[in-house]
């Protein structure tokens, strides 16, 4: 067989070849970034110097740093060093590593179509796993979230680096793996041809490049019960299952149940969050200039359909009257701003019967809407992700602010409404429709109230819209008194 003509090299050989011959630039850059101490002031300058010679890389880093995912309404960032100060050293260092990794692996033009497709699938899976691991630890500190993101992203670095080499050996292994029926057979074929499997290769590269302790621990002790290792393990298992055409339904449900338990949320809410995470992953991949990964991201539509089975909340007239009375009482006496808004949200969620409702306030330059208070299903994710830019003149949210008028969007995907929503907004709002209304003080818009039935995927009636606008009108009177 032709396979026997290739010498079996082993993990040390492939680690050294990848590090010194195939991608020395990536190796040296990541080594330099990993050595930087976050509390050393001089490291900020070194961080900028490590990427400043690469204009394309710098451009990607700044595009990601200024995206709504990372830049929460802060002024525009123009340098890598400034990004480290504003967003935090660990965050911007990981953005640098991610940008360099994606560009290095994707820019090899000498791969056969079959090998390149395998590489894209693997990298898309790793990118999605990184976002899922970060999502699982959504209630933990941002520093820990960033650690698990980069560790999950690099979890299959050995295999990704191997395929990106190209050449006869990659094409030969690809051909042999194509006919394998399961993971055990694939590992056996890989060991026979390369003298090692991809797991040990990733460990070898991680040690040689000085990658973080979290990655090494996740590779060496995958069953460890600490939150960071658990999130990386479950994110990779889930992504692998979602990316398998003949996925094991029972295994998928078991992993979902484990993640729901770790996050302490219901299964339906988890499935909705995973779908939203997939959309965020797509957006971030495009920000990194890795649009080629998008079509290979694991499909989560089946989960979205399952999540859509959640029962819709119904209107509760008794709660509506109770909350309207409370708001009416606030018109007679100056009341705390946040108490007014929370009473309104409770009335809309529990009384009108919506799945989630949020107050989005205008930034000082009035070019961005940012979440202030959110109530209902998926509130935490909504508070983190609903950063809406108002730059386009035809933008629906901008028109709501400028016209000071409530809006009922019955079908966001229709020709009429889709023309007024950018891609990011369309990904955030409910596909079943939503309600929107301006919040005013002294006839000046300070923000908007957004409501939908995202979990149940239900629409609204005219009565729902009338009840919603009634709450907004009374709330605006209260706000005028509260801030007057």
């Amino acid at each position: 067989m032709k396979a026997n003509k290739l010498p079996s090299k082993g993990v040390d050989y492939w680690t050294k070849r990848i590090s010194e011959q195939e991608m020395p630039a990536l190796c040296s850059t990541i080594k330099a970034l990993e050595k930087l101490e976050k509390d050393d002031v001089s490291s900020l300058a070194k961080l900028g110097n490590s990427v400043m010679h690469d204009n394309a890389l710098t451009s990607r880093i700044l595009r990601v740093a200024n995206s709504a995912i990372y830049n929460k309404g802060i002024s525009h960032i123009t340098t890598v060093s400034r990004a480290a100060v504003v967003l935090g050293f660990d965050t911007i260092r990981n953005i640098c590593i991610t940008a360099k990794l994606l560009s290095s692996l994707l820019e090899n033009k000498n791969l056969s179509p079959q090998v390149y497709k395998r590489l894209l699938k693997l990298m898309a899976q790793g990118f999605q796993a990184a976002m899922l691991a970060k999502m699982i630890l959504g209630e933990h500190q941002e520093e820990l979230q960033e650690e698990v993101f980069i560790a999950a992203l690099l979890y299959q670095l050995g295999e990704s680096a191997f395929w990106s080499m190209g050449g006869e050996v990659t094409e030969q292994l690809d051909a042999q793996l194509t006919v394998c029926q399961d993971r055990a057979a694939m590992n056996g074929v890989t060991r026979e041809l390369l003298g090692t499997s991809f797991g040990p290769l990733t460990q070898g590269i991680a040690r040689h490049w000085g990658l973080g302790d979290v990655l090494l621990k996740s590779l060496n002790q995958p069953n460890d019960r600490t939150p960071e290792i658990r999130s990386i393990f479950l994110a990779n298992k889930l992504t692998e299952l979602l990316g398998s055409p003949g996925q094991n339904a029972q295994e998928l449900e078991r992993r979902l149940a484990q993640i729901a338990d770790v996050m302490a949320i219901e299964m339906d809410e988890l499935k909705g969050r995973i779908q939203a995470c997939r959309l965020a992953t797509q957006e971030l991949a495009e920000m990194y200039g890795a649009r080629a990964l998008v079509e290979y991201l694991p499909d989560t539509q089946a989960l979205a359909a399952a999540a859509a089975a959640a029962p819709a909340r119904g209107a509760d007239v008794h709660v509506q009257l109770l909350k309207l009375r409370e708001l009416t009482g606030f018109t007679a006496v100056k009341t705390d701003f946040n108490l007014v808004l929370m009473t309104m949200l409770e009335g809309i969620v529990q009384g009108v019967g919506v799945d989630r409702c949020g107050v989005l306030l205008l930034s000082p330059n009035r070019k961005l809407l940012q979440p202030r208070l959110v109530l209902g299903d998926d509130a935490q994710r909504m508070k983190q992700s609903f950063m809406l830019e108002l730059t386009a003149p035809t933008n629906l949210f901008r028109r709501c602010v400028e016209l000071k008028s409530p809006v009922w969007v019955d079908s966001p995907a229709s020709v009429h409404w889709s023309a007024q929503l950018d891609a990011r907004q369309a990904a955030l709002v409910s596909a079943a429709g939503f309600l929107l209304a301006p919040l005013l003080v002294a006839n000046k818009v300070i923000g908007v109230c957004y409501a939908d039935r995202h979990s149940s995927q239900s629409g609204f009636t005219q009565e729902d819209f009338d009840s919603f606008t009634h709450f907004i009108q009374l709330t605006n009177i209260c706000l005028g008194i509260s801030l007057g």
Side-chain angles (χ1 to χ4, degrees), residues 73-87:
I74 305 166
S75 58
H76 191 73
I77 298 170
T78 57
T79 68
V80 173
S81 296
R82 175 61 180 165
V85 173
V86 173
L87 302 182

Side-chain angles (χ1 to χ4, degrees), residues 18 39 86 105 107 116 119 130-131 137 170 275 286 319 344 354 382 408 418 429:
I18 289 170
D39 57 350
V86 173
L105 295 181
E107 288 174 1
Y116 189 59
L119 175 62
M131 291 291 280
L137 294 187
T170 63
Q275 175 68 3
E286 293 176 348
V319 174
M344 174 199 71
V354 306
M382 184 178 177
W408 171 13
S418 62
V429 302

Side-chain angles (χ1 to χ4, degrees), residues 77-109:
I77 298 170
T78 57
T79 68
V80 173
S81 296
R82 175 61 180 165
V85 173
V86 173
L87 302 182
F89 191 89
D90 288 330
T91 297
I92 201 62
R93 179 173 59 182
N94 286 343
I95 291 176
C96 290
I97 291 174
T98 304
K100 186 65 178 178
L101 177 73
L102 292 174
S103 62
S104 297
L105 295 181
L106 291 174
E107 288 174 1
N108 189 338
K109 306 299 183 183

Side-chain angles (χ1 to χ4, degrees), residues 33 36-51 58 61-66 70-71 74-97 142 146:
L33 289 170
L36 296 180
E37 294 293 337
K38 62 184 177 182
D39 57 350
D40 182 358
V41 175
S42 65
S43 289
L44 293 177
K46 294 177 182 177
L47 180 66
N49 291 336
S50 66
V51 298
T58 300
I61 292 168
L62 294 178
R63 188 163 62 242
V64 172
N66 283 298
Y70 283 100
N71 192 344
I74 305 166
S75 58
H76 191 73
I77 298 170
T78 57
T79 68
V80 173
S81 296
R82 175 61 180 165
V85 173
V86 173
L87 302 182
F89 191 89
D90 288 330
T91 297
I92 201 62
R93 179 173 59 182
N94 286 343
I95 291 176
C96 290
I97 291 174
E142 288 189 11
E146 288 300 324

Side-chain angles (χ1 to χ4, degrees), residues 188-232:
V189 168
T190 303
R191 281 194 296 269
E192 182 179 351
L193 186 61
L194 306 185
T196 183
S197 57
F198 289 128
L201 179 55
T202 297
Q203 294 180 39
I205 293 175
R207 284 191 291 268
H208 187 74
W209 293 12
L211 297 176
D213 292 337
V214 173
L215 174 60
L216 285 170
K217 189 175 180 181
S218 69
L219 292 167
N220 294 322
Q221 304 173 43
N223 294 319
D224 190 277
R225 306 298 293 186
T226 56
E228 60 272 25
I229 305 305
R230 191 68 176 154
S231 69
I232 295 168

